Amino acid sequence: MQHCFPTHEAFPLQGKPEPNREWTLLAAVVKVQSTTNQACNKSVQVTKEVVSMGTGTKCIGLSKMRKTGDVLNDSHAEIIARRSFQRYLLHQLYLAAVLKENSVFVPGIEERLWKLRPDLSFVFFSSHTPCGDASIIPMLEFEDQPCCPISRDWANNQLIETSDNLKVPEDKRKCEDLDSLVNKKIRLEPRSPARELANGTAHCQNLGAQEFGPVPQSIINSDTRMAPGGAKVVDVHRTGAKCVPGEAGDSGKPGAAYHQVGLLRVKPGRGDRTCSMSCSDKLARWNVLGCQGALLMHFLEEPIYLSAVVIGKCPYSQEAMQRALIGRHAPNCISLTFRCQNVSALPKGFGVQQIKIQQSDLLFEQSRCAVQAKRVNNSARLVPCGAAISWSAVPEQPLDVTANGFPQGMTKKGIRNLQIRSRISKVELFRSFQNLLNSISEDRWPDSLRKPGAHSGSRPLDLGSETHQIITSLSEKGFQWILVASISSHFISSPSFPVLNINFSYG
C-alpha cells in the first residue's frame, strides 16, 4: 500500500490539513494485476496502481441534505475513495463500450453485459480503522490511553503476538481529546517493562493478517472482561457513531460494557443529526452489494467486490474488523441486526464475500497521531481538517476538493450554479452515466434499460432493483439500515435531466 502516499503527496496543497494544526485521514482503492505463467499456472508478476483516493473526516447533517443530489452527504475518507472509484469504473466502461480501448472490463458471457478482467482485483486501503463497530477495541486495566490493540484466542486463553512494532493511538471519530495523552506511561503486558507513550505515540502490537473467531457472549456482556495473562479488559475504545433507531442501543455503563458490539450505527453530527451510516457498516454493505453502485450494475454481469481491506498503523483489532465487516452473523453476537451469512435469496452474482483483512505498518503522516507527534510545545488544539479531497484515475478533472459537501471556496450564491458541483456527487455521477448511455446505440443497451416505459418521464427509473431485493432480504433478517428519505434519495425532474427521478436510496 506504499503506492498510496506518493500519490497523495503529489496533490496540490488545496484541501490538505494546515500544518501543525489540522489532521485528516486517507483511503484509496488499488488495482492489482497479476500476470500468470501459463506453463505452471503460477502468478509471476504483480503490478499495483492507485485508481481512486479520498481524504476527509466530515459529514453533513440532515438539515443540509438537498433534493438536487449536488451535495456530498458523507465526506469520510472511505466514502470519498469509494465514490471516486465509481467514477473511475464509469470511465473504464466508457473506454470499453464506446471507444473500444483497453479497459478493466471485458465482454461478459451474457449479451450486452461486461465483467472485470480475470487478472485484476481491487484492494481497499484506509489509514485508520473504519468508524463504528470496527473501532470498538478493548482496553486493558494498566493502559492510560484509549487502546493498544491486542488479539486473543479467547477459546484457548492464549495471547497472540507477532511483534512490538509501533502503533498509533488515533481515532478519527472519538469523542475524547487525546492531546492529554502525551508523556504518559503505560504497561502493555502483565509483568512487562513500562513503555513510554511520548509525543502521542505508543508501542503496540502488529496483528498482521491473523484471523480469529468472535468473542464469546459471556465476555461481551461482562462489565469487566478477562484478557490472557490475567489482565482485565476494563474499557473499550470509544466510537462516536450512534446506534440506529430500533437497535437495542449501548448501555453507556462505565468500563467494557459501555458499547454493545455488532450494532449498526450512524455517524455523529454537531447539533444536527446525520443520516450517514458508519464506515464499518458501509464496508460491510459493499461486501454484499459490491462497490460499483446501482447505476453501473446495469452493464455488469456480476458485482465488483474488493479482494482485501488493508488498515494502516493505528489502534487495531483483527477481531473487531472481522466482526464488523464479515462476522456480525455469529450466533453469540449481541446484535441481531446484521446476520449477513444467513441472508438468502440474493440476486444472481451477489453474496457475502470472505474478504481478506490485514494491517499494515504504514503510518499516514497527516493522521492525527502523526501530526501530534511532530508538535512541540504547542498548546493550540489539534482539529480535523474541514476539507475533503477526491481523486480518480480519469483524464478530465481527476482532482476534486470539497468542504461541507460542496466544492471548496463556493459561496452561498455559487451553490445555485449547476456547473459548480463535486464530480462525485450523485447528480454528477448520474450525468456521467447518462453520457455513457447517449454514446451507445439503444440496441446495445442492457435489457434492464430497454424495458418498455423504462425511460418514460412520468415514472421513476428504478436503477436499483437488484439492490432493492438485497435490502429487502436483509430487512427480513432484521437489518435495520437507515433508508435515506426522498429529500436525498430521488432527484427532482428538470428539463435538462428528464429522467432524474431516479432511485438512489440504497446506492
Side-chain angles (χ1 to χ4, degrees):
M1 296 299 105
Q2 64 271 18
H3 298 76
C4 299
F5 296 161
T7 301
H8 177 263
E9 290 168 1
F11 295 164
L13 291 178
Q14 184 184 10
K16 291 184 177 180
E18 181 181 330
N20 209 37
R21 196 184 77 88
E22 294 181 328
W23 59 274
T24 192
L25 296 169
L26 178 143
V29 177
V30 179
K31 180 180 72 174
V32 180
Q33 181 176 0
S34 301
T35 303
T36 304
N37 187 328
Q38 299 296 335
C40 59
N41 198 29
K42 291 184 178 180
S43 178
V44 294
Q45 183 179 1
V46 175
T47 58
K48 300 174 184 178
E49 176 190 0
V50 179
V51 297
S52 76
M53 182 169 289
T55 68
T57 64
K58 304 285 188 176
C59 60
I60 64 172
L62 178 62
S63 65
K64 295 183 179 179
M65 299 171 75
R66 291 163 57 91
K67 297 179 180 180
T68 46
D70 56 359
V71 62
L72 297 178
N73 299 332
D74 189 341
S75 293
H76 282 206
E78 298 94 326
I79 313 308
I80 295 292
R82 186 255 184 168
R83 298 187 72 85
S84 302
F85 182 50
Q86 290 178 315
R87 187 183 177 203
Y88 166 79
L89 291 176
L90 280 167
H91 173 69
Q92 288 294 311
L93 185 59
Y94 182 84
L95 291 178
V98 179
L99 301 182
K100 311 296 183 183
E101 295 182 4
N102 186 40
S103 166
V104 301
F105 295 113
V106 294
I109 298 175
E110 299 182 38
E111 190 177 5
R112 294 185 291 272
L113 293 182
W114 301 81
K115 65 180 181 179
L116 187 66
R117 278 169 40 189
D119 61 330
L120 298 180
S121 62
F122 294 102
V123 174
F124 192 86
F125 172 77
S126 176
S127 65
H128 196 278
T129 49
C131 66
D133 197 55
S135 291
I136 302 175
I137 303 172
M139 294 170 54
L140 301 184
E141 60 179 336
F142 39 71
E143 295 173 356
D144 291 329
Q145 57 150 359
C147 181
C148 273
I150 60 173
S151 187
R152 292 165 292 270
D153 183 342
W154 290 99
N156 299 323
N157 197 36
Q158 294 176 349
L159 178 64
I160 308 298
E161 178 181 354
T162 58
S163 72
D164 288 329
N165 290 342
L166 191 64
K167 293 296 161 194
V168 180
E170 168 196 341
D171 185 357
K172 62 182 175 182
R173 327 303 186 223
K174 185 176 172 297
C175 300
E176 295 88 348
D177 189 350
L178 298 185
D179 291 350
S180 62
L181 299 176
V182 180
N183 296 326
K184 288 185 178 180
K185 292 185 178 181
I186 61 172
R187 188 179 297 274
L188 295 183
E189 302 175 31
R191 298 174 298 279
S192 69
R195 302 179 188 177
E196 188 157 317
L197 174 64
N199 296 326
T201 62
H203 291 280
C204 304
Q205 294 161 312
N206 178 17
L207 304 183
Q210 300 165 350
E211 297 181 4
F212 303 92
V215 178
Q217 177 89 9
S218 60
I219 297 176
I220 293 176
N221 284 335
S222 63
D223 289 345
T224 302
R225 295 182 280 170
M226 296 301 296
K232 292 180 180 179
V233 179
V234 297
D235 208 340
V236 290
H237 196 92
R238 301 287 195 267
T239 177
K242 309 300 181 184
C243 298
V244 300
E247 284 280 17
D250 293 321
S251 70
K253 297 179 181 178
Y258 183 88
H259 281 308
Q260 287 195 20
V261 298
L263 303 183
L264 293 176
R265 299 173 181 273
V266 292
K267 292 168 181 171
R270 292 186 177 275
D272 186 10
R273 71 180 183 90
T274 77
C275 286
S276 297
M277 300 297 293
S278 73
C279 290
S280 292
D281 297 331
K282 290 189 175 183
L283 278 163
R285 181 180 67 176
W286 304 340
N287 200 40
V288 179
L289 301 179
C291 291
Q292 72 290 325
L295 290 174
L296 196 61
M297 194 62 216
H298 280 278
F299 280 92
L300 299 183
E301 201 167 70
E302 54 193 22
I304 306 296
Y305 289 113
L306 299 170
S307 63
V309 172
V310 179
I311 304 299
K313 183 178 287 188
C314 65
Y316 178 88
S317 165
Q318 186 74 17
E319 290 172 0
M321 286 292 297
Q322 290 285 137
R323 177 190 69 229
L325 273 59
I326 304 172
R328 280 187 268 183
H329 66 286
N332 57 359
C333 183
I334 288 178
S335 175
L336 300 178
T337 304
F338 194 3
R339 297 175 179 266
C340 276
Q341 302 282 18
N342 295 332
V343 174
S344 58
L346 296 177
K348 180 182 177 182
F350 290 89
V352 181
Q353 307 299 301
Q354 293 300 316
I355 190 171
K356 297 178 182 178
I357 303 174
Q358 300 181 346
Q359 188 181 25
S360 146
D361 284 329
L362 297 176
L363 174 64
F364 180 43
E365 65 176 9
Q366 293 182 345
S367 65
R368 179 172 188 163
C369 220
V371 175
Q372 177 68 52
K374 296 177 183 177
R375 287 158 55 99
V376 180
N377 299 325
N378 192 332
S379 60
R381 179 167 180 164
L382 190 63
V383 298
C385 180
I389 300 176
S390 70
W391 177 85
S392 301
V394 297
E396 296 183 9
Q397 294 182 280
L399 198 66
D400 197 39
V401 181
T402 56
N404 298 316
F406 289 105
Q408 191 179 43
M410 178 183 287
T411 63
K412 290 184 178 180
K413 185 176 181 180
I415 289 176
R416 302 186 182 94
N417 187 343
L418 297 182
Q419 303 304 316
I420 306 177
R421 296 181 287 227
S422 169
R423 297 291 172 177
I424 58 171
S425 64
K426 291 179 181 179
V427 69
E428 283 299 315
L429 288 177
F430 180 72
R431 183 193 288 272
S432 297
F433 179 79
Q434 192 176 49
N435 290 339
L436 175 65
L437 285 180
N438 292 338
S439 302
I440 302 174
S441 59
E442 191 166 345
D443 62 332
R444 294 173 54 212
W445 287 3
D447 290 341
S448 58
L449 296 177
R450 301 171 68 219
K451 294 177 181 178
H455 297 279
S456 170
S458 61
R459 53 174 285 190
L461 175 60
D462 184 5
L463 296 184
S465 57
E466 289 172 323
T467 307
H468 177 76
Q469 293 178 44
I470 295 175
I471 293 295
T472 300
S473 178
L474 292 174
S475 297
E476 291 172 354
K477 298 291 182 180
F479 190 151
Q480 303 296 330
W481 197 272
I482 286 187
L483 303 183
V484 180
S486 60
I487 188 172
S488 65
S489 300
H490 295 75
F491 300 139
I492 293 180
S493 300
S494 66
S496 57
F497 290 96
V499 293
L500 279 185
N501 190 14
I502 173 176
N503 187 352
F504 267 89
S505 300
Y506 318 105

